[in-house]
Amino acid sequence: MRTSAALVGILLVLGLGLSAHGEEAAASDRITDHLPKPKDADPFRMGAYLIRGGRAVAAMEASVFRDGETGFTLKEVLRYTAKDAGTVEVNAKTGPRFGVTHGSYARRNAAGFLEAKWHRGPSKDRPEERVTEGAPIHIAYRTQEYENEIEARPTARAHTSLVGMLFLARHAPRRKGTWTWTDFAPDPAAGDRYVEAARLECLGKAKWAVESQVSDAWVFSYTRGKRAYRFALHAETGGFLGLEVEGMDLKLAPTPTGEFGPIDEAAPGLMTPIERARQRALAIRQRMPVGGTGWRYEGELLLGDYRIGRAVLAVEPTSVGGEPAWMVHERTERVAGEARVVGELSAFLAPDLALLRGETLHHAPSGKSSSTFGREGSAVVTRHHLGPKRGDPIAHPVRADATVGLAAVVSFLMHVPETRTTYVLSGFDPRYVTTPKAGSGSFPLDVADAFIEVEGPSAYSTGARLFQTLAASVSSKTGRRYTVHLDRKTRALVAVVGGLPSTTIAPKGTPGKAPDFWQTDADPRSAYEAFIRFGRGYHLPREDYLAKAFHWGRMLQHDIRAGSYPPETDLAGYKRDWIQEFVKRSKHRTIGDCDDLLLQILMTSKETHGDDGSLTLATLPAYGGHTYRIEQVAGRWYITAID
């Protein structure tokens, strides 16, 4: 009966959390302290697919709902798509503090069955014990071959099942934190014990992709014995967004509606919406003409109203090893203050756009770097080079249909129908290929996949000209997102409107202002100038820039209201301490390296414009994850708050 347990283990190995003594028990209690009373609790339901090898091999439904005013009822059902794979079911009752009092587990398939029932309290040997959340757990097992009983003696309450774990995490404080306990699983996966140390950690807020939808999420890690998992809950609704098993090709993905749906048990495998979208893309790619004509596009690189550089995309027919192929070339050049940055991609693709080999070049004030990559069997072998230093080969498995670059996405979109449809274009990006650290797992296969939604007829304006276009939104798990506009009649590329980064590739000749926010000697004339003054002051560093970048009075008042400083804080000392801390933390960059970094921050920050004329910049975690409020005070622009 252990053969199917290995797969269902990712659900049931989460098992029963048995709180331990001391700090561990206190940590677990901090979660349960935030649970609503049963009579006040809202039901929690979820539907998900168990994914292996890119296909759904099982469908799951789970729920937690109040059981009167005395506790909760938990239920999980896992149904495999193949007839002989069977079902797995968990039912449990808990007390008011979510500690399990009794429950059952059943796993059935063509090979037989395993059933378990457990309860807390009296047994044949100890009839005097009461049914409480802290009493021993007695478990009775039954198969077609034997019956057995065991006893587990936790020191306090126990939590049970995957949905129970998610329910606890859903009500945990929304902050980084760690909770630990001893975990018991009634049917542990191979290599795991019935009782193991368990650790739940809230990693913080991040982006989490479900198909083409990227959501703000709270991300958690869960470790039990030798297994480690990551899962995400929607930041606003608390809904389940997904679970991944580190080092294994197993994950849970929510069903499109979030609810459990019927499946065809006679089918050999249930294709997920992502795989259906991938197959739709493959069907179009396989029909693309062999040896067709190429295309070339030259455009302006814009950041809002500012023209910051140029972009070139080109696709030409060629041959590799005597077989037809495409050669794609991409080049972007941007200017940022004292920095000039050039990025290039050159690659050879098969007629269906599958990657054969390629290279990237990056020239920046910080130096020159390059990467070469090429397919070798089921893997792509990548070498990163920094200046004259040559890198070692890094081999990672990559889908056979994976492609690379923006030009490949555009070429694909030139052949799609105009109807509103979703596609997944398998992707590869050498920037995300690194040597795995010990215990970090393998390189994600789908990190660079392009999730495409053809939006249908649209329009794009340069100010002087209006284009009737076919629009398609594109995103990936890297966080990148943009919208491609193609001429509706000719399918020629018109523009690529950036979401993240926020740069747009516009038709050549599109008007744009020259960036005028790089001067730092005079009083800032805009919010961008105020931010650049601070950025140069910090990264160079320059104390005179830092002293004038902030409105120190408003900064101090903001920090006092936030509780970071007492009301009696001396303003002169506050200013001195901040400047000294900035100088201490500075990496003393060159001005070119500094300006390149500051433009990257502006390109990737989320901007919010207030009714009072203020600007708030929220930076990505890679750039500190801070929020800067910039205001005009008495005709001059200052940073007035940092969070």
Side-chain angles (χ1 to χ4, degrees):
M1 289 298 293
R2 289 291 177 195
T3 54
S4 61
L7 187 57
V8 304
I10 76 159
L11 304 178
L12 300 167
V13 76
L14 295 175
L16 309 178
L18 310 184
S19 302
H21 289 289
E23 294 181 0
E24 292 185 353
S28 179
D29 287 346
R30 282 196 292 273
I31 293 182
T32 55
D33 286 345
H34 288 80
L35 285 177
K37 294 180 179 179
K39 66 183 181 65
D40 300 323
D42 292 326
F44 174 56
R45 297 184 179 91
M46 60 172 283
Y49 293 125
L50 180 62
I51 311 296
R52 181 177 60 183
R55 289 181 175 271
V57 296
M60 174 186 174
E61 63 174 329
S63 61
V64 178
F65 53 92
R66 58 181 177 269
D67 184 10
E69 297 186 4
T70 60
F72 298 87
T73 297
L74 292 76
K75 182 174 183 177
E76 281 183 15
V77 179
L78 187 71
R79 295 187 177 93
Y80 285 87
T81 56
K83 272 188 174 180
D84 60 351
T87 62
V88 179
E89 185 169 348
V90 180
N91 292 277
K93 299 282 189 178
T94 80
R97 297 293 300 280
F98 214 61
V100 65
T101 56
H102 58 282
S104 64
Y105 166 79
R107 170 161 51 84
R108 302 179 179 89
N109 57 33
F113 68 89
L114 171 66
E115 295 178 349
K117 293 184 177 181
W118 65 83
H119 69 277
R120 306 202 72 156
S123 64
K124 297 178 187 177
D125 299 329
R126 296 185 180 85
E128 73 283 357
E129 289 189 304
R130 297 187 306 145
V131 179
T132 66
E133 290 180 288
I137 297 179
H138 306 281
I139 308 154
Y141 289 98
R142 186 171 74 92
T143 73
Q144 69 270 29
E145 299 173 351
Y146 68 86
E147 295 183 1
N148 189 26
E149 292 188 10
I150 67 170
E151 178 183 292
R153 296 190 64 85
T155 58
R157 72 180 59 88
H159 312 307
T160 188
S161 78
L162 169 63
V163 71
M165 171 69 70
L166 296 174
F167 190 74
L168 286 169
R170 194 166 183 253
H171 290 91
R174 288 301 184 256
R175 55 172 171 77
K176 291 184 179 180
T178 301
W179 298 269
T180 59
W181 54 82
T182 300
D183 185 87
F184 171 79
D187 185 21
D192 284 324
R193 299 176 297 181
Y194 289 99
V195 176
E196 292 276 11
R199 180 175 183 267
L200 176 70
E201 181 180 2
C202 179
L203 302 176
K205 204 171 183 180
K207 299 290 185 182
W208 190 279
V210 179
E211 297 193 30
S212 61
Q213 183 67 41
V214 179
S215 302
D216 289 324
W218 285 94
V219 180
F220 297 81
S221 70
Y222 181 78
T223 305
R224 183 196 193 275
K226 299 177 181 179
R227 300 285 177 90
Y229 315 83
R230 290 176 70 250
F231 64 91
L233 302 178
H234 195 282
E236 294 183 5
T237 66
F240 176 69
L241 292 178
L243 178 146
E244 299 172 346
V245 186
E246 294 186 9
M248 298 179 65
D249 185 19
L250 285 173
K251 63 177 68 176
L252 277 176
T255 58
T257 63
E259 300 290 341
F260 176 76
I263 60 174
D264 181 4
E265 294 187 352
L270 178 68
M271 193 174 293
T272 67
I274 291 178
E275 283 304 308
R276 286 197 294 271
R278 196 187 308 276
Q279 292 301 318
R280 283 194 292 270
L282 281 172
I284 290 175
R285 294 169 63 176
Q286 291 165 0
R287 294 196 299 267
M288 291 177 63
V290 177
T293 58
W295 56 272
R296 180 180 176 87
Y297 177 92
E298 297 183 16
E300 312 290 350
L301 190 63
L302 304 179
L303 175 62
D305 295 332
Y306 296 104
R307 185 170 61 246
I308 61 172
R310 298 187 297 271
V312 176
L313 304 175
V315 176
E316 300 176 11
T318 186
S319 63
V320 174
E323 298 293 331
W326 298 106
M327 183 177 72
V328 300
H329 181 71
E330 301 177 13
R331 176 186 171 92
T332 59
E333 178 182 338
R334 66 174 188 262
V335 177
E338 300 296 323
R340 178 175 176 270
V341 180
V342 178
E344 293 187 76
L345 164 70
S346 298
F348 290 96
L349 308 179
D352 65 353
L353 304 177
L355 171 65
L356 300 175
R357 68 175 186 269
E359 66 174 345
T360 60
L361 301 172
H362 185 75
H363 302 261
S366 58
K368 297 180 181 180
S369 61
S370 63
S371 299
T372 57
F373 46 91
R375 179 166 289 282
E376 296 184 13
S378 62
V380 170
V381 177
T382 304
R383 294 172 174 83
H384 298 304
H385 315 297
L386 185 60
K389 185 178 180 181
R390 316 308 286 171
D392 295 327
I394 306 171
H396 281 294
V398 175
R399 291 181 184 273
D401 61 317
T403 190
V404 64
L406 173 61
V409 175
V410 173
S411 290
F412 168 76
L413 289 172
M414 289 177 175
H415 295 86
V416 302
E418 195 173 85
T419 53
R420 189 180 183 94
T421 315
T422 57
Y423 302 95
V424 173
L425 201 61
S426 301
F428 170 79
D429 191 329
R431 293 173 295 182
Y432 295 92
V433 177
T434 58
T435 302
K437 297 180 181 179
S440 66
S442 59
F443 176 71
L445 283 174
D446 58 354
V447 67
D449 286 0
F451 297 89
I452 300 171
E453 182 173 353
V454 175
E455 299 174 351
S458 184
Y460 178 83
S461 175
T462 64
R465 184 178 178 186
L466 180 66
F467 293 86
Q468 298 300 318
T469 66
L470 172 67
S473 61
V474 185
S475 63
S476 74
K477 288 188 176 181
T478 65
R480 189 181 183 192
R481 58 184 185 276
Y482 54 91
T483 300
V484 176
H485 286 270
L486 303 178
D487 186 282
R488 194 174 174 189
K489 290 183 178 180
T490 67
R491 290 297 179 93
L493 177 60
V494 174
V496 180
V497 180
L500 183 69
S502 57
T503 47
T504 290
I505 302 175
K508 188 175 182 180
T510 298
K513 300 185 297 185
D516 56 359
F517 45 80
W518 292 101
Q519 70 85 20
T520 46
D521 294 324
D523 291 337
R525 298 163 297 180
S526 67
Y528 273 14
E529 278 191 25
F531 181 77
I532 296 299
R533 171 174 284 188
F534 155 68
R536 283 182 170 177
Y538 171 41
H539 291 289
L540 294 180
R542 286 280 299 269
E543 291 190 29
D544 56 333
Y545 289 171
L546 290 169
K548 295 180 180 180
F550 298 91
H551 192 286
W552 294 104
R554 294 198 178 190
M555 280 279 292
L556 176 56
Q557 290 303 312
H558 171 79
D559 283 347
I560 290 174
R561 288 193 300 270
S564 303
Y565 286 83
E568 63 273 14
T569 299
D570 173 65
L571 179 59
Y574 171 85
K575 173 181 177 181
R576 180 187 63 250
D577 292 345
W578 269 83
I579 291 176
Q580 289 178 353
E581 187 67 18
F582 281 131
V583 173
K584 177 182 176 182
R585 293 175 177 267
S586 175
K587 295 186 180 300
H588 295 259
R589 302 177 187 272
T590 65
I591 190 168
D593 192 17
C594 169
D595 288 354
D596 178 27
L597 175 61
L598 293 177
L599 183 60
Q600 291 180 52
I601 294 174
L602 291 177
M603 288 163 53
T604 57
S605 294
K606 179 181 179 180
E607 295 189 7
T608 304
H609 295 269
D611 294 337
D612 58 356
S614 64
L615 173 67
T616 300
L617 293 177
T619 67
L620 293 178
Y623 301 113
H626 299 299
T627 299
Y628 301 87
R629 180 176 173 82
I630 309 173
E631 298 179 82
Q632 193 173 23
V633 182
R636 298 171 61 181
W637 286 89
Y638 300 93
I639 295 176
T640 60
I642 301 180
D643 292 312

